[in-house]
Amino acid sequence: MYGMPMTIFLFVCLFVTGVSCNSVGDKIYVDFKDNIPCVRLLNATHQIGCQSSLSGDVGVLHLLESEENLDWVLSSGPDPPYMVMLESTLFTRSVMMKLKSSSNRVAGVVVVAPNTNPSAGFSPHASCPNENSEKYSPSLAHCNATVWNPLGNNLSYEEFDFPIFSLKDDNDTQAMRQCYMDHNRPVNGSKPRYPLCAMQLFSHMSAVTDTATCMRRNSIAMSLNPEFVCDPLGDVNIWALSKPLNVTEKGHKPGESVIIAAARLDSRSFFFDIAPGAESTASGLVTLLAVAHALRNATQEAQLNTTIMYTFFHGETFDYIGSSRMVFDMERNQSIIDLDNVHSVLEVGQVGLHGDTKLWLHSDPVSRRNSSIDEEVVKLIKNLNSSAKSLNFSVEEPGSSQALPPSSFQRFLRARPIPGVVIENHQSTFTNRYYQSMYDNSDYLNVSYPPGLTPEEQLDFVTDAAKSLAKVATLVARALFVQAGGNGTRFNIEADELLVSRLLYSFLVMPNNSWFQITKSFISINAYFSNTTTNFYIGVNQQMSEPTILVQFMLANLTGSVVNTTQENCNNQKENEDDKETKHLYYYVWAQGAAPPNGTEREGFCVRSTCRTTKAVSPAFELEEYTSSNYSTWTESRWKSIKGRIFLVASHDLEMLTLGVGVGVLLTSLLLTFFISSKADILFNSGREPTNATY
Ligand SMILES: *[C@@H]1O[C@H](CO)[C@@H](O)[C@H](O)[C@H]1NC(C)=O
Ligand SMILES: *[C@@H]1O[C@H](CO)[C@@H](O)[C@H](O)[C@H]1NC(C)=O
Ligand SMILES: *[C@@H]1O[C@H](CO)[C@@H](O)[C@H](O)[C@H]1NC(C)=O
Ligand SMILES: *[C@@H]1O[C@H](CO)[C@@H](O)[C@H](O)[C@H]1NC(C)=O
Ligand SMILES: *[C@@H]1O[C@H](CO)[C@@H](O)[C@H](O)[C@H]1NC(C)=O
Ligand SMILES: *[C@@H]1O[C@H](CO)[C@@H](O)[C@H](O)[C@H]1NC(C)=O
Ligand SMILES: *[C@@H]1O[C@H](CO)[C@@H](O)[C@H](O)[C@H]1NC(C)=O
Ligand SMILES: *[C@@H]1O[C@H](CO)[C@@H](O)[C@H](O)[C@H]1NC(C)=O
Ligand SMILES: *[C@@H]1O[C@H](CO)[C@@H](O)[C@H](O)[C@H]1NC(C)=O
Ligand SMILES: *[C@@H]1O[C@H](CO)[C@@H](O)[C@H](O)[C@H]1NC(C)=O
Ligand SMILES: *[C@@H]1O[C@H](CO)[C@@H](O)[C@H](O)[C@H]1NC(C)=O
Ligand SMILES: *[C@@H]1O[C@H](CO)[C@@H](O)[C@H](O)[C@H]1NC(C)=O
């Protein structure tokens, strides 16, 4: 372990000199710019994802032109191992599994991302998402009644022992194609001659086997040196209340009744940092933000006796990390309310309408066998129905034999029967053709603009997609208001179309815009907004992800109000010098304000809201039950470097070189390990790794 930096150094020397002696004069050496790897994740029993060897994997570039062409890679080609370059149409389960099964001839894969979505649909996710987290009887469990994601080919859950990268279709990939055409392409079946074009990918992963193993290695690492190998997936749940409750008092709140209005905050795809989740995540999230905004005035004026808790759950993709944590906290009296306070759940799922005007209200057939639960569910559905009528929408229930689709509500039901409804755009199987893939993007949700608009004009342009989501938000807001005991005719509750459009633009097209900049808080002024679609992958526990920061600011700003106080007071959670009480009820954030057009200083302001964050880390890590089957156990491996490059190699020496270096590295590390462990007492005076440590 300690020998690694040294061996890498040796390797690089050998490698660089080796290649430069053998390379031809016009050698090209292209480092990829925008490469996105597939990384390793681990759960209680498996490791999934991809990795290279420590020193990077090298192979002869092969551009796969069709599936028949695969033979060259799998058997007939004379120069294995190959680095296979795939056009996205060939990134299918069948091709990938063939490559996986002959991994001795495959050094790695790069997939060229297309500029338009595949019309046939594509989902690398499981066909039965989160199936292990559901506690149904056999007739409903494991998608027995309905396979939710029929296009799901499960590639995201496979393990590959070679690196897989995604590349943008740009000049780099063009150079690779050219390099292949010029040097590697077999002409009339004859063997291509050296020099050949080769590629090297680095994505070595530190963690192996499963979560229990890597957590054990982490704890050993902690006592010796700070080299962690994996981290639990985690972030925060974000919520706000329609009426302030004392957050310092945890546990049961006598007399309080709370409706949980939920949406999910995360998504994923096969590759590490592309998870646009336009329909799977953003449609519900943006709708719920608009609902919270639309209800701000009405809920404050009407003084409802039921509180609405707008909740955004994180990590739901990975066996419901966020919702399971909230339920766990409620059960342990570590939350501001407990499960007895929960009146009902209304969840907004995938609600992209694609021009349609029909929504489906899903409920849980098992808990509805209890008549009092059923009664409440019927009431809820009635509210949604009457609010839909006034908007020319139609809402319907699917058949009663169908299970509840994957949703955060599942985790509440697992604790106890609670009335609730999940709003979706599908009757049975998902209509989303790109579930948890990189194609679930703004194009798919029809967030499109007339040509020629500047970014500022796009921000203020109300798209059709926004109009339709705003209607959904109005529907949900009105129904929620009645559900919370409000008088449905007293207020004209209406979601703001411009707000929805700006939110969609900000999450799916360009987070780095003048409007989002207003809410940027002083505390995290260094938080950066990206220039492309938001990545909704949850990531690891240490830092808040971009969508988390954005949703938190937006929710605070949309539900809260501006108070006249100094930045210092604001950051110290008080309204004036003597204020000691309001921090129990409100949370204050300082926003930097809009940039005045004439270039003078921004004028900041303090937003007071009930918006808070609570941990969204699986209870399995709290309980240190790394083999739990009740809670999510997903961790993400650490890595040192992710990079890739292509170059020319002059001869067969490539293979010899790789072999030679491999043997060299092995011998060196053996020697170093031997040396270090024999001299460990001298080298490390603090503690010592037990010699029989097995990991
Ligand atoms: C699926 O449900 C049917 C009854 O609806 C049951 O007979 C069958 O065993 C179930 N399948 C599995 C795999 O549990
Ligand atoms: C871990 O993930 C694998 C791959 O998806 C899955 O087959 C397995 O059931 C999961 N293990 C647990 C305990 O959920
Ligand atoms: C997906 O792949 C994993 C790993 O091979 C496997 O354990 C799991 O059962 C698969 N799930 C489905 C639905 O095929
Ligand atoms: C790509 O290549 C074209 C033509 O060679 C060139 O005009 C363009 O600037 C290049 N783009 C980038 C991003 O390098
Ligand atoms: C909130 O609860 C804390 C702890 O019980 C108490 O000290 C505080 O006075 C309460 N504040 C309000 C506004 O109820
Ligand atoms: C809420 O009330 C304020 C004034 O109290 C008004 O300016 C604002 O437009 C109202 N918002 C909505 C969404 O009705
Ligand atoms: C809220 O008020 C309504 C009527 O005003 C009443 O029927 C309901 O029981 C009340 N709920 C709670 C939790 O007090
Ligand atoms: C609801 O509000 C309308 C309009 O303000 C009023 O006419 C009606 O009496 C109210 N209904 C109830 C039950 O308070
Ligand atoms: C986004 O683009 C702007 C303008 O082109 C640039 O200044 C900024 O650094 C970019 N931000 C990021 C995170 O790439
Ligand atoms: C935040 O709130 C302020 C004041 O209410 C408003 O001027 C601003 O436009 C809001 N910003 C966003 C991004 O909603
Ligand atoms: C804000 O507070 C300051 C100092 O207390 C006062 O001078 C100012 O007029 C207030 N501004 C508003 C808009 O109330
Ligand atoms: C710049 O804008 C600010 C706020 O809009 C205004 O108060 C100030 O007078 C402007 N200054 C100039 C030089 O125009």
Side-chain angles (χ1 to χ4, degrees):
M1 190 159 54
Y2 313 104
M4 276 328 166
M6 188 62 183
T7 39
I8 292 171
F9 177 70
L10 275 175
F11 167 76
V12 170
C13 298
L14 272 172
F15 190 72
V16 170
T17 47
V19 169
S20 55
C21 325
N22 288 312
S23 294
V24 289
D26 64 338
K27 125 185 127 142
I28 49 168
Y29 220 113
V30 184
D31 284 311
F32 307 162
K33 280 190 293 288
D34 296 313
N35 51 47
I36 299 173
C38 140
V39 303
R40 175 172 287 167
L41 303 178
L42 309 101
N43 70 1
T45 50
H46 287 61
Q47 58 181 10
I48 61 169
C50 321
Q51 79 154 350
S52 74
S53 59
L54 184 59
S55 47
D57 288 355
V58 188
V60 170
L61 185 63
H62 184 79
L63 177 65
L64 196 64
E65 285 161 291
S66 70
E67 193 164 345
E68 292 81 67
N69 198 236
L70 206 52
D71 243 13
W72 186 265
V73 176
L74 301 182
S75 52
S76 62
D79 310 297
Y82 286 99
M83 275 288 176
V84 184
M85 185 171 174
L86 293 177
E87 302 297 344
S88 63
T89 47
L90 290 170
F91 183 55
T92 61
R93 183 170 178 92
S94 123
V95 170
M96 290 311 292
M97 294 316 273
K98 281 180 194 156
L99 293 174
K100 176 177 165 165
S101 64
S102 52
S103 56
N104 58 331
R105 287 181 62 91
V106 178
V109 172
V110 291
V111 181
V112 183
N115 294 319
T116 53
N117 289 348
S119 55
F122 175 81
S123 171
H125 206 68
S127 56
C128 188
N130 285 354
E131 63 172 308
N132 293 328
S133 302
E134 275 147 36
K135 274 264 158 74
Y136 272 126
S137 58
S139 62
L140 293 175
H142 301 291
C143 293
N144 192 347
T146 314
V147 176
W148 297 111
N149 185 28
L151 288 170
N153 63 24
N154 203 25
L155 272 183
S156 291
Y157 289 93
E158 295 294 340
E159 204 228 332
F160 296 93
D161 53 10
F162 46 76
I164 304 179
F165 281 38
S166 167
L167 298 176
K168 278 214 198 83
D169 197 353
D170 59 8
N171 287 3
D172 283 355
T173 43
Q174 205 43 48
M176 280 177 215
R177 290 195 187 97
Q178 200 56 48
C179 191
Y180 169 79
M181 290 298 172
D182 294 348
H183 299 279
N184 296 13
R185 191 160 196 245
V187 187
N188 303 326
S190 74
K191 187 169 156 1
R193 266 180 297 177
Y194 283 93
L196 292 177
C197 199
M199 175 152 53
Q200 184 176 31
L201 300 179
F202 295 81
S203 68
H204 180 67
M205 297 289 144
S206 314
V208 288
T209 316
D210 54 34
T211 290
T213 310
C214 80
M215 293 307 281
R216 189 165 67 239
R217 281 189 63 175
N218 280 351
S219 60
I220 294 172
M222 195 129 69
S223 59
L224 277 177
N225 66 347
E227 289 266 310
F228 278 53
V229 292
C230 70
D231 303 282
L233 294 186
D235 202 311
V236 291
N237 294 324
I238 302 168
W239 47 267
L241 302 163
S242 62
K243 161 184 108 192
L245 295 177
N246 191 337
V247 294
T248 318
E249 283 168 348
K250 307 266 193 243
H252 187 69
K253 291 253 188 319
E256 282 301 332
S257 164
V258 177
I259 298 173
I260 297 190
R264 70 158 59 185
L265 191 47
D266 75 308
S267 181
R268 80 173 286 213
S269 78
F270 184 84
F271 296 101
F272 172 62
D273 47 5
I274 345 176
E279 177 152 314
S280 73
T281 305
S283 69
L285 178 142
V286 165
T287 302
L288 190 58
L289 283 172
V291 167
H293 179 60
L295 285 175
R296 169 166 65 182
N297 288 358
T299 47
Q300 272 164 21
E301 282 171 37
Q303 309 237 317
L304 304 176
N305 59 5
T306 304
T307 308
I308 303 170
M309 183 172 180
Y310 309 100
T311 316
F312 297 84
F313 290 113
H314 221 313
E316 298 299 277
T317 306
F318 294 97
D319 297 325
Y320 305 122
I321 294 174
S323 51
S324 65
R325 181 54 184 264
M326 185 170 276
V327 171
F328 178 74
D329 285 345
M330 285 182 180
E331 286 172 329
R332 293 186 311 163
N333 291 335
Q334 290 296 310
S335 173
I336 57 155
I337 52 167
D338 70 358
L339 285 169
D340 289 331
N341 291 124
V342 178
H343 171 278
S344 53
V345 176
L346 181 61
E347 181 165 345
V348 188
Q350 310 189 72
V351 289
L353 283 172
H354 308 281
D356 207 353
T357 53
K358 191 161 200 169
L359 287 169
W360 294 90
L361 308 179
H362 295 261
S363 54
D364 172 46
V366 178
S367 57
R368 285 185 72 175
R369 286 182 203 143
N370 173 328
S371 63
S372 66
I373 300 284
D374 186 55
E375 217 169 88
E376 286 295 320
V377 175
V378 168
K379 236 196 255 171
L380 237 161
I381 287 172
K382 223 177 82 207
N383 287 342
L384 284 157
N385 236 318
S386 57
S387 125
K389 272 211 195 82
S390 59
L391 291 164
N392 287 332
F393 253 102
S394 79
V395 292
E396 263 182 66
E397 281 188 83
S400 63
S401 61
Q402 188 171 279
L404 187 70
S407 51
S408 311
F409 182 34
Q410 297 266 8
R411 282 312 302 207
F412 286 84
L413 286 171
R414 234 178 114 157
R416 67 167 64 169
I418 288 173
V421 165
V422 180
I423 304 176
E424 300 271 1
N425 61 6
H426 54 90
Q427 178 180 10
S428 60
T429 57
F430 294 166
T431 50
N432 187 347
R433 284 178 290 136
Y434 306 113
Y435 190 70
Q436 311 287 39
S437 80
M438 61 203 232
Y439 308 120
D440 188 2
N441 52 20
S442 58
D443 284 350
Y444 181 50
L445 210 57
N446 283 332
V447 177
S448 54
Y449 299 89
L453 295 189
T454 63
E456 285 305 302
E457 287 165 343
Q458 292 187 348
L459 180 62
D460 286 340
F461 181 86
V462 178
T463 59
D464 289 340
K467 286 182 187 154
S468 105
L469 277 191
K471 274 195 162 178
V472 178
T474 304
L475 189 164
V476 174
R478 291 181 182 173
L480 258 180
F481 189 65
V482 175
Q483 193 184 341
N487 179 344
T489 53
R490 214 182 112 208
F491 296 91
N492 181 27
I493 296 167
E494 187 108 43
D496 182 348
E497 288 180 347
L498 177 61
L499 171 73
V500 173
S501 204
R502 284 179 162 183
L503 287 170
L504 286 176
Y505 177 79
S506 302
F507 284 115
L508 301 179
V509 182
M510 174 74 90
N512 187 9
N513 63 60
S514 62
W515 185 62
F516 260 10
Q517 295 286 352
I518 297 177
T519 35
K520 203 159 159 179
S521 151
F522 184 79
I523 322 167
S524 46
I525 201 89
N526 294 325
Y528 82 96
F529 295 131
S530 59
N531 286 332
T532 55
T533 180
T534 305
N535 168 27
F536 283 106
Y537 169 68
I538 179 174
V540 297
N541 198 346
Q542 277 104 7
Q543 73 264 26
M544 277 203 237
S545 60
E546 180 182 61
T548 313
I549 295 169
L550 297 180
V551 170
Q552 194 191 338
F553 291 166
M554 290 314 302
L555 186 60
N557 207 51
L558 296 176
T559 58
S561 50
V562 177
V563 290
N564 183 13
T565 188
T566 62
Q567 185 176 346
E568 200 190 342
N569 283 340
C570 192
N571 288 339
N572 291 329
Q573 301 301 315
K574 49 189 177 187
E575 282 180 32
N576 52 56
E577 300 308 326
D578 321 314
D579 176 15
K580 293 209 167 60
E581 274 302 305
T582 56
K583 68 167 187 234
H584 299 293
L585 301 177
Y586 293 106
Y587 190 73
Y588 298 84
V589 254
W590 184 259
Q592 67 172 358
N598 62 9
T600 49
E601 289 263 304
R602 287 170 185 268
E603 251 185 61
F605 55 92
C606 183
V607 179
R608 182 185 78 180
S609 73
T610 56
C611 178
R612 309 259 176 179
T613 59
T614 47
K615 257 194 195 172
V617 177
S618 169
F621 297 96
E622 201 77 5
L623 300 167
E624 303 192 4
E625 287 174 5
Y626 307 130
T627 54
S628 168
S629 57
N630 284 327
Y631 294 114
S632 169
T633 51
W634 288 104
T635 48
E636 179 189 284
S637 172
R638 291 208 178 176
W639 58 83
K640 289 244 163 60
S641 81
I642 299 281
K643 60 182 189 219
R645 55 192 179 184
I646 56 172
F647 47 85
L648 284 181
V649 282
S651 69
H652 256 307
D653 293 357
L654 170 67
E655 291 156 50
M656 290 300 112
L657 177 69
T658 342
L659 182 67
V661 169
V663 172
V665 168
L666 183 68
L667 288 178
T668 325
S669 39
L670 281 177
L671 276 173
L672 273 171
T673 316
F674 174 73
F675 169 74
I676 285 167
S677 45
S678 62
K679 298 274 187 274
D681 315 355
I682 306 161
L683 289 171
F684 312 102
N685 46 12
S686 68
R688 183 179 170 186
E689 190 173 347
T691 42
N692 60 351
T694 49
Y695 55 83

